[in-house]
Amino acid sequence: MPVNEIDSQKQGIVVAVAALPKTYAEWKHCIEVDCGIPLTTSFCERRIQALDDEQDRHTQAFRDKYGEEHLAQVISWFRTALDSDAVAAD
């Protein structure tokens, strides 16, 4: 067990690690409720554009941290949001 986990347990601190969303509903809840970001048309379009840009350093970091499969899934969820009634008008 890593030292900081042991120290946290001794101090009675509970550390929660959020799992990556596995479904569209989980992802949508994460964006809108956990992060407090409204899914608007312009927000979804900006995120798709940024995440589609392989030269963008934030996209590269996202891919390095979460993998190509999760990156593709997140882009797909943004597109699903745009194609549904889930997005709010800007």
Side-chain angles (χ1 to χ4, degrees):
M1 184 177 287
V3 174
N4 54 354
E5 283 186 37
I6 293 170
D7 290 345
S8 294
Q9 287 180 356
K10 287 180 184 177
Q11 296 173 17
I13 299 170
V14 176
V15 178
V17 177
L20 293 176
K22 295 189 181 353
T23 67
Y24 173 77
E26 290 175 354
W27 169 82
K28 188 174 181 291
H29 183 273
C30 180
I31 297 290
E32 294 184 313
V33 177
D34 297 341
C35 296
I37 301 171
L39 281 174
T40 63
T41 299
S42 63
F43 176 73
C44 290
E45 288 172 345
R46 286 192 318 268
R47 295 310 308 140
I48 291 168
Q49 182 178 15
L51 292 169
D52 270 339
D53 182 358
E54 295 181 8
Q55 302 305 312
D56 184 283
R57 66 182 177 91
H58 298 290
T59 300
Q60 293 169 357
F62 187 99
R63 186 189 317 79
D64 291 346
K65 185 169 186 172
Y66 301 111
E68 186 69 39
E69 185 177 328
H70 188 65
L71 173 61
Q73 183 62 73
V74 169
I75 293 169
S76 173
W77 286 330
F78 275 113
R79 288 189 174 125
T80 297
L82 278 178
D83 293 339
S84 71
D85 293 333
V87 294
D90 292 309

